[in-house]
Amino acid sequence: MLPLGPGLHVLERGWLSSNNVLLDGDDGATLIDSGHSVHAEQTVALLRQLLGGKPLRHLINTHLHSDHCGGNAAVQREWALDVRVPSGSLKAVQAWDEQALSYAPTRQRCERYTAQGSVAPGQVLSIGTRHWEVMAAPGHDPESVILFDAIHGVLISADALWENGFGVVFPELDGDAAFDDVGCVLDLIEALPVRCVIPGHGAPFTDVAAALQRSRSRLAGFRASPERHLRHGAKVLLKYHLMEEREQALPALRDWLRDTPLMQSIWSGLARPEGEFAVWAERLLQELLTSGVLGRRGDIVYDV
Ligand SMILES: [Zn+2]
């Protein structure tokens, strides 16, 4: 059995919805991350089942990508709880600044929610019998936090560390250097007495050293060839979009590619290959179809 410690439940989800962690507390439970809005109903149903009538009082987001907070609004409707977001993102949520929150540049869906407070690096959150230190984890997202319970050696790592890698380094897609941040966060994790990692996606795992090693070699590859990371980022964004839509007609998909600002940024960052965005985007799509990551039926492209 995984050494997760008392009063902690992991709802392992897929890639479109992040994992959800439920922590027992004295006045009710606390939820860490709420998944994607497409799965919001399922998230509420899973939580209701797990809570068994107990109240859900707090929701904390590690960061505000649409796959980590897309269920916030639905969860807020279901339970009278307070939502706490990373301190660096609080203003953007309150103003619903879709540019700063990434939903405009990625053209990803996220139902509007409200935040009642924030969590900041350095804080210790006492939830039930456990104490979680909030740590800054920039790189994948500049404002992301991770949570560490030193007594039980449990790390909620969001998208800073997965069993096989880490999330796309979003600032890099916009031309802002962030590979150093990724490396620093891996150093930080390596220095902690971690026995079990609950990642943002995928199953919890205990071989932290091996995961760190895989992430470091992945990071070294991206550093050696930033173009590789940009191409990887473009593919992830396109795949994610099809996970949101499930399927889309080719003309609408081509429009989405053209109108997604981050796709245009990536193309610029790659020094505008093929000379024309549409030609490059078509090749990107073809690569995902050829490798079987996406499927095509006549004029319809679908998620596999
Ligand atoms: Zn993320």
Side-chain angles (χ1 to χ4, degrees):
M1 225 176 70
L2 287 163
L4 292 169
L8 184 156
H9 314 269
V10 180
L11 286 170
E12 190 189 334
R13 309 294 292 276
W15 285 91
L16 183 57
S17 271
S18 68
N19 293 335
N20 320 122
V21 181
L22 198 64
L23 302 168
D24 295 341
D26 301 329
D27 64 337
T30 295
L31 176 67
I32 315 292
D33 287 340
S34 65
H36 191 278
S37 57
V38 165
H39 298 153
E41 265 181 48
Q42 185 189 39
T43 303
V44 168
L46 288 168
L47 289 171
R48 215 187 281 133
Q49 194 178 27
L50 197 55
L51 286 161
K54 283 183 290 180
L56 184 57
R57 295 276 191 227
H58 315 280
L59 166 53
I60 295 167
N61 291 116
T62 57
H63 63 298
L64 301 181
H65 285 158
S66 59
D67 54 335
H68 288 255
C69 66
N72 279 19
V75 170
Q76 274 185 315
R77 277 194 294 274
E78 188 73 18
W79 289 280
L81 48 68
D82 67 280
V83 172
R84 289 197 263 167
V85 300
S87 49
S89 300
L90 180 60
K91 274 202 180 115
V93 174
Q94 288 170 337
W96 201 249
D97 177 349
E98 295 207 340
Q99 186 65 35
L101 291 169
S102 84
Y103 317 134
T106 59
R107 293 191 67 211
Q108 290 173 2
R109 298 192 213 160
C110 188
E111 191 183 344
R112 184 169 182 167
Y113 54 89
T114 59
Q116 286 69 45
S118 64
V119 289
Q123 262 181 346
V124 175
L125 309 172
S126 294
I127 301 168
T129 59
R130 303 178 67 159
H131 307 286
W132 299 87
E133 188 176 342
V134 182
M135 297 173 174
H140 167 69
D141 178 81
E143 308 302 341
S144 182
V145 298
I146 54 179
L147 304 174
F148 183 57
D149 169 356
I151 291 170
H152 298 91
V154 175
L155 177 72
I156 297 173
S157 66
D159 295 341
L161 178 70
W162 299 333
E163 193 165 15
N164 279 300
F166 47 81
V168 167
V169 188
F170 274 85
E172 291 275 345
L173 304 186
D174 251 337
D176 297 327
F179 289 145
D180 284 352
D181 285 338
V182 174
C184 287
V185 172
L186 296 177
D187 291 345
L188 166 75
I189 294 172
E190 189 162 32
L192 298 172
V194 182
R195 296 211 295 270
C196 186
V197 174
I198 304 170
H201 304 267
F205 60 90
T206 54
D207 196 346
V208 187
L212 284 167
Q213 199 175 16
R214 283 190 291 269
S215 275
R216 285 195 194 285
S217 81
R218 192 168 176 76
L219 179 61
F222 287 153
R223 276 189 200 280
S225 171
E227 298 76 25
R228 211 180 101 196
H229 176 260
L230 288 172
R231 279 196 300 274
H232 166 67
K235 287 179 180 174
V236 168
L237 286 175
L238 179 50
K239 168 74 175 169
Y240 189 97
H241 172 65
L242 262 307
M243 284 198 286
E244 277 189 338
E245 297 294 327
R246 293 200 188 120
E247 59 175 41
Q248 193 164 43
L250 260 174
L253 183 55
R254 290 186 179 123
D255 287 351
W256 179 85
L257 282 159
R258 183 197 60 213
D259 297 339
T260 297
L262 204 49
M263 280 292 185
Q264 295 280 351
S265 301
I266 292 170
W267 182 60
S268 298
L270 287 167
R272 301 169 188 261
E274 322 283 351
E276 210 181 309
F277 178 83
V279 180
W280 172 76
E282 196 67 26
R283 175 171 291 205
L284 184 73
L285 175 59
Q286 287 307 323
E287 278 178 33
L288 293 188
L289 289 169
T290 305
S291 58
V293 173
L294 298 176
R296 182 174 169 180
R297 189 175 59 236
D299 215 21
I300 303 290
V301 176
Y302 57 90
D303 182 40
V304 174

